[in-house]
Amino acid sequence: MTPAYQLTNLSKSYAGRQVLNIDHLEIHPGEILAVIGPSGAGKSTLLRILNFLESPDSGKVYFQGQPVNYHKIPLEVRRMVTTVFQNPALLSGNVGSNLQFGLRLRGLKDGHRDVDEMLERLGLTSLRRSPAHTLSGGEAQRVALARALILKPTVLLLDEPTANLDPYNVEMIESVIRGINQTHQTTIVLVTHNIFQARRLADRVALLLNGEIVETADTQTFYKNPCDSRTRGFIRGEMVW
Amino acid sequence: METILSGIIQGLKLFFYGDATLWQIIGVSAQVSGIALLISAVIGIPLGALLGLTRFPGRRMIQAMIYTGMGLPPVVVGLAVYLLISNNGLLGPLQQAWIPKLFTVEAMIAAQVIIAAPLVIGYTMSAVGEVSPNLRLQVRSLGATRVQVLGTTLREARRGVLVALIGGFGSILSEVGAVMMVGGNIEGSTRVMTTAILLETRRGNFELAIGLGIVLLGMAFLINLSAAQLQGKGY
Ligand SMILES: Nc1ncnc2c1ncn2[C@@H]1O[C@H](COP(=O)(O)OP(=O)(O)OP(=O)(O)O)[C@@H](O)[C@H]1O
Ligand SMILES: [Mg+2]
């Protein structure tokens, strides 16, 4: 099967400081890949590159088997991938209009049924007309997720989707992520600090340290029988982060 | 004191009884400054958004020029336009249809665009700059094209853009130097509120001057009030 993504010798620097240096990474279609790693490891930067929002300094990225030319990415390709950012960046206006935003960008005027369904799914129905700026952190995070899901992306990139949320919100969001992956075979890259969340959701886990992929393995193997001593350290919580 | 008081009363009478001269002057003012603002908005809002959001070499230079343009003395603008379009000026002799003639409404509009456009550009520039880069990235990630990102950012910055338009309109509605210079204050054609106030005061015709002054103030107040209303509604 053609990989969703294939990254080779990819590097990225900011102001002369290298923040990503990935020899090889493959993301399989339809899988949930968790990317874990300490703060500053380069996780968000990796997602921006996967979402074509930023170009790598060197290296190759293949998307669905095709080499990506970061200077010229077709709109249809860009629209197959979407990110839910670390901090829910909602637009002014209410919850409903935030959900419709991506549909409107695509010229789809009547997505009302999808909106209703998505609101229902994330427990937001009663908040439909609430102004975005009045929402709680958990509500805002759910709106941001719903706004991405409604687009039925081929690839969904999630940057800490449950950071700072209570168990109720965490559980709801996790079950929605699992559901969308199962029903639509959405490829999901999940960035998380939470090694337990990674274990609960992911098919495979990758550990990113100082911009480098230390280990990628099946979730089982990753937690039970990791190859790298640094992985063992990280999952035992020995690493300071 | 008595002059002022009777002036105010007479002015109010003129206004409320619909004095023909007064309303004709108001009409010219609204037409000139209204069209100038419209042109400034059409040019200034997209340009301001572009300058505020895109990075390219020479951007700082252009920004500095815009900021300078925001403080142009109207009289100097009037002088420059005068020198450009007068019969022995730079553009005047070309006799092209798009070059406005001196002492016409079109010339006044041109001068006011030069005054208002930098204000609209400058305020729009800083307004879109306030929209968080994170939000712009999110918008792009949701599938927006460049133009859609620009449009969405402008929508998020609409309060600032509204301020830009109000600022621009205020500056040209109340300026006297440029319209005087290139319009010539011709009765019944290029006479506007500010130039009329100047003339009538000089003639000792305080009633009309005060009447016009009240209208000018009232218009400014109404514009700001409606802007405040719009902001309150979250527009
Ligand atoms: N636009 C930028 N300009 C300069 N440096 C940047 C930029 N974006 C990221 N960095 C740097 O790159 C490194 C990796 O950042 P990144 O946001 O990818 O980390 P992260 O793994 O997502 O961390 P966290 O878990 O805290 O979100 C950090 O040291 C950060 O300071
Ligand atoms: Mg991050």
Side-chain angles (χ1 to χ4, degrees):
Chain A
M1 199 158 24
T2 325
Y5 286 92
Q6 230 178 334
L7 278 56
T8 45
N9 299 321
L10 181 126
S11 76
K12 177 78 189 173
S13 302
Y14 289 116
R17 196 166 57 88
Q18 193 165 59
V19 299
L20 267 189
N21 182 19
I22 296 175
D23 291 340
H24 186 78
L25 177 67
E26 223 174 81
I27 300 170
H28 307 319
E31 77 168 340
I32 299 184
L33 172 72
V35 176
I36 61 173
S39 193
K43 304 181 298 292
S44 299
T45 306
L46 175 62
L47 291 193
R48 284 198 298 276
I49 289 174
L50 295 177
N51 200 173
F52 317 119
L53 298 171
E54 230 173 304
S55 56
D57 297 337
S58 64
K60 275 241 159 296
V61 176
Y62 291 83
F63 178 67
Q64 299 188 330
Q66 301 294 318
V68 177
N69 172 6
Y70 273 83
H71 302 292
K72 220 180 114 195
I73 296 163
L75 188 61
E76 316 86 77
V77 172
R78 282 216 294 116
R79 287 185 171 170
M80 293 168 87
V81 185
T82 189
T83 308
V84 178
F85 283 82
Q86 206 160 355
N87 303 304
L90 300 184
L91 297 144
S92 55
N94 62 24
V95 169
S97 70
N98 265 280
L99 258 67
Q100 283 170 338
F101 181 73
L103 300 174
R104 292 234 182 92
L105 291 177
R106 287 158 176 75
L108 305 168
K109 292 270 183 302
D110 35 37
H112 289 288
R113 274 184 50 203
D114 293 350
V115 172
D116 290 342
E117 193 209 312
M118 204 48 77
L119 287 168
E120 174 82 47
R121 202 153 170 184
L122 280 149
L124 294 165
T125 306
S126 64
L127 294 172
R128 183 182 195 128
R129 301 198 187 291
S130 304
H133 64 90
T134 62
L135 301 177
S136 75
E139 290 160 354
Q141 193 61 265
R142 280 184 277 149
V143 172
L145 183 63
R147 182 177 60 179
L149 293 181
I150 204 168
L151 301 173
K152 301 198 173 71
T154 310
V155 178
L156 179 65
L157 308 170
L158 301 171
D159 200 345
E160 295 282 358
T162 61
N164 310 317
L165 297 186
D166 66 335
Y168 167 79
N169 275 296
V170 172
E171 206 182 300
M172 173 179 270
I173 288 177
E174 285 187 2
S175 90
V176 170
I177 292 171
R178 213 177 276 120
I180 208 88
N181 172 254
Q182 277 160 10
T183 50
H184 296 282
Q185 282 74 49
T186 309
T187 308
I188 297 176
V189 180
L190 167 74
V191 163
T192 177
H193 279 132
N194 186 334
I195 54 171
F196 303 106
Q197 177 169 67
R199 191 171 193 168
R200 283 195 296 269
L201 289 177
D203 299 308
R204 291 192 311 141
V205 184
L207 173 63
L208 192 66
L209 273 187
N210 298 321
E212 294 182 26
I213 302 272
V214 168
E215 180 163 359
T216 310
D218 289 345
T219 305
Q220 278 270 342
T221 319
F222 189 91
Y223 285 97
K224 294 235 165 84
N225 198 10
C227 296
D228 200 290
S229 60
R230 288 169 293 176
T231 310
R232 277 193 289 278
F234 193 83
I235 56 184
R236 271 196 242 113
E238 285 165 10
M239 209 149 291
V240 183
W241 46 281
Chain B
M1 190 62 205
E2 239 169 76
T3 333
I4 298 173
L5 212 63
S6 79
I8 291 177
I9 293 165
Q10 286 300 316
L12 285 173
K13 269 189 189 161
L14 285 181
F15 180 68
F16 285 110
Y17 291 143
D19 179 73
T21 320
L22 182 96
W23 280 98
Q24 192 273 331
I25 294 171
I26 293 172
V28 178
S29 258
Q31 185 201 354
V32 170
S33 297
I35 295 175
L37 180 72
L38 198 73
I39 296 172
S40 301
V42 169
I43 302 170
I45 293 175
L47 211 60
L50 241 109
L51 282 171
L53 298 179
T54 53
R55 304 278 173 273
F56 56 90
R59 173 170 172 262
R60 298 256 162 244
M61 186 76 174
I62 295 176
Q63 283 186 332
M65 282 163 65
I66 299 293
Y67 288 135
T68 310
M70 290 172 79
L72 285 181
V75 189
V76 177
V77 174
L79 178 65
V81 173
Y82 188 105
L83 293 177
L84 275 176
I85 65 175
S86 69
N87 276 335
N88 39 22
L90 274 173
L91 299 175
L94 298 178
Q95 299 287 338
Q96 297 285 321
W98 58 270
I99 302 167
K101 293 263 174 295
L102 206 52
F103 308 130
T104 61
V105 163
E106 288 77 23
M108 294 156 80
I109 292 172
Q112 292 206 333
V113 168
I114 296 174
I115 298 168
L119 285 163
V120 176
I121 297 171
Y123 284 132
T124 303
M125 205 158 69
S126 54
V128 297
E130 307 257 300
V131 176
S132 108
N134 193 38
L135 185 71
R136 277 190 276 136
L137 213 57
Q138 175 71 81
V139 166
R140 228 160 69 107
S141 167
L142 288 165
T145 62
R146 262 171 210 291
V147 174
Q148 286 176 327
V149 173
L150 216 69
T152 306
T153 310
L154 273 171
R155 235 173 43 119
E156 290 297 308
R158 58 191 170 266
R159 281 155 201 249
V161 175
L162 197 63
V163 170
L165 293 179
I166 292 168
F169 196 50
S171 74
I172 50 180
L173 195 64
S174 60
E175 72 86 18
V176 55
V179 279
M180 190 72 173
M181 197 84 102
V182 303
N185 196 21
I186 301 166
E187 191 176 358
S189 77
T190 64
R191 182 163 299 171
V192 292
M193 290 192 277
T194 54
T195 53
I197 291 173
L198 203 71
L199 182 77
E200 299 305 336
T201 306
R202 211 177 274 151
R203 281 182 180 163
N205 266 340
F206 290 106
E207 292 85 0
L208 193 55
I210 291 173
L212 285 164
I214 291 170
V215 175
L216 203 52
L217 272 177
M219 278 173 92
F221 178 73
L222 280 178
I223 291 160
N224 283 295
L225 184 70
S226 49
Q229 288 282 351
L230 281 177
Q231 288 201 358
K233 278 190 192 142
Y235 266 93

